[in-house]
Amino acid sequence: MSTLPDLRYSDVEDALRASVRDLLADRCPWSAVLRRCETSEPYDMDLWRRLAGGLGCAGLLVPERYGGAGASAREVAVVLEELGRAVAPVPFLGSAVLATSALLACGAGDGADDCLGPLAAGERTAALAVPFATPPGAPFPASVHAEGDRLTGRVVGVVDAVVADLLVVPATGADGPGLYVVEVGGSAVAVTLRTSLDLTRPIADVTLDGAAARRVAGPESAAAALDAALVAGAALLASEQLGVAEQCLETTVGYVKTRYQFGRPIGGFQAVKHRLADLWAAVTSARSAARYAAACLATADPDVRVATAVAQAHCSEVAVTAAEECVQLHGGIGFTWEHPAHLYLKRAKACEIALGSPDRHRAALAALVDLPAATP
């Protein structure tokens, strides 16, 4: 049986949070996010360079021998909490978490380590070429076919692909599954932006037509490396959802203290108090679930899949509830395009189906802890 880890934030994590929060407060106010999200450049790549290279966040998971910080999933979780609070339009999840985790899981000596240094330095950006809704434990994708060092096929709904320099692509060849690295650019690789619900984190379709590729994991390790990346992504996405929920709660509490109706703040009405008290309790429990998942991931705890399923099933729904309460308790202004509440609602709804829906994670949890199936 694993030992319960310390879920409190360390001094290092607090310092990292302060640095990221200061940067986002200075460079990523919600008004700037709102102005950008409907333009042809939805990502703030200048912010990304400052976050990735300036603060070193892109290389948190990368060992020092590859030029990274050699930190753990706990520090990455803190960064994601802050990015969620700001609905920041940067490719952190796709590049620094999903693609980097896949490359790290491929192991040294297979060529994946050549990609890690530039990614850790923020000089290059990568994306894991699977649909964003793919949950941990999903079958190995069969949409891309490998023939020698050439890949052909199409993957829909890839997160952060539109700004990626590299794609980490699962593909199946004559000798079985493999993970390949593909350079974006040239006529053999097409990345087509799709209209997504969350305009602050677009998804794209990737089409490969005989694209040159380099295999970084063969049949013996490709499926495990891909699954490790999906587990890491799902476990850490819970921290981003926690950040979304915290920001929605704080924003709403601040608003109901200042909005008057019938001569008193609307936050003074018992019904509003009860709703926000329930939300506070839900956010507090979400913090525990997200922190436990990150801690299990950081220590390779055998409980990591259980922790991930619990965190995703719970934090997804808490983030959506918090965003819905934020919209509703702001009244009419919460429904307008001029207010950031809808940015948080869309981020929460998009995250709810990313890397597995709550129902999918509850079903996975039931299997992991050997619970009987529900009786119809």
Side-chain angles (χ1 to χ4, degrees):
M1 179 179 294
S2 60
T3 304
L4 185 66
D6 186 354
L7 302 186
R8 293 172 295 183
Y9 297 103
S10 68
D11 292 342
V12 172
E13 290 166 353
D14 285 338
L16 175 62
R17 179 192 305 283
S19 297
V20 175
R21 185 173 292 190
D22 286 347
L23 175 64
L24 294 175
D26 182 46
R27 306 288 304 185
C28 188
W30 69 264
S31 54
V33 177
L34 189 59
R35 281 197 302 272
R36 176 179 292 279
C37 67
E38 283 193 305
T39 69
S40 59
E41 296 181 355
Y43 286 95
D44 187 342
M45 296 309 289
D46 182 57
L47 172 63
W48 168 246
R49 283 185 283 273
R50 292 170 184 267
L51 183 74
L55 296 185
C57 292
L60 286 174
L61 285 177
V62 179
E64 293 180 5
R65 64 181 181 278
Y66 298 131
S72 76
R74 291 176 61 118
E75 287 78 15
V76 175
V78 168
V79 174
L80 279 166
E81 286 181 30
E82 294 305 310
L83 295 179
R85 292 175 69 97
V87 284
V90 292
F92 185 83
L93 182 68
S95 183
V97 177
L98 288 169
T100 296
S101 295
L103 292 170
L104 287 170
C106 290
D110 287 330
D113 44 344
D114 295 341
C115 305
L116 292 171
L119 291 180
E123 297 167 356
R124 311 202 77 186
T125 304
L128 181 62
V130 296
F132 196 25
T134 307
F140 196 85
S143 58
V144 178
H145 176 70
E147 187 169 346
D149 59 355
R150 299 283 171 176
L151 300 185
T152 300
R154 183 166 182 261
V155 186
V156 300
V158 180
V159 68
D160 295 336
V162 72
V163 289
D165 303 301
L166 299 173
L167 297 171
V168 181
V169 185
T172 302
D175 58 348
L179 279 185
Y180 297 78
V181 171
V182 175
E183 294 270 353
V184 175
S187 58
V189 182
V191 178
T192 307
L193 185 66
R194 294 176 64 95
T195 301
S196 54
L197 175 64
D198 180 8
L199 298 176
T200 64
R201 185 157 60 198
I203 57 175
D205 294 345
V206 173
T207 303
L208 306 171
D209 184 11
R214 180 162 55 92
R215 194 170 79 171
V216 293
E220 69 286 349
S221 60
L226 175 60
D227 193 53
L230 294 172
V231 170
L236 292 170
L237 180 61
S239 291
E240 183 185 296
Q241 292 164 320
L242 169 63
V244 169
E246 287 180 332
Q247 181 65 21
C248 289
L249 175 60
E250 291 175 15
T251 301
T252 307
V253 169
Y255 179 75
V256 301
K257 290 179 179 177
T258 59
R259 174 76 166 89
Y260 277 66
Q261 202 162 46
F262 308 114
R264 57 186 292 193
I266 62 173
F269 293 103
Q270 194 76 351
V272 175
K273 288 181 179 178
H274 283 176
R275 288 172 66 167
L276 291 174
D278 289 345
L279 184 57
W280 179 86
V283 171
T284 301
S285 61
R287 183 179 301 111
S288 298
R291 289 291 292 168
Y292 183 60
C296 287
L297 190 64
T299 56
D301 191 291
D303 207 31
V304 65
R305 289 183 180 275
V306 171
T308 298
V310 170
Q312 265 302 300
H314 186 59
C315 295
S316 293
E317 295 182 341
V318 171
V320 171
T321 300
E324 289 174 343
E325 292 285 47
C326 183
V327 170
Q328 292 173 13
L329 291 176
H330 275 79
I333 194 174
F335 290 83
T336 66
W337 193 237
E338 288 76 17
H339 197 275
H342 63 88
L343 293 177
Y344 289 90
L345 180 59
K346 290 172 181 175
R347 173 64 69 93
K349 292 295 289 184
C351 287
E352 189 180 26
I353 58 173
L355 300 168
S357 66
D359 284 346
R360 179 68 179 251
H361 284 287
R362 277 191 284 268
L365 177 62
L368 287 167
V369 300
D370 199 24
L371 281 176
T375 303

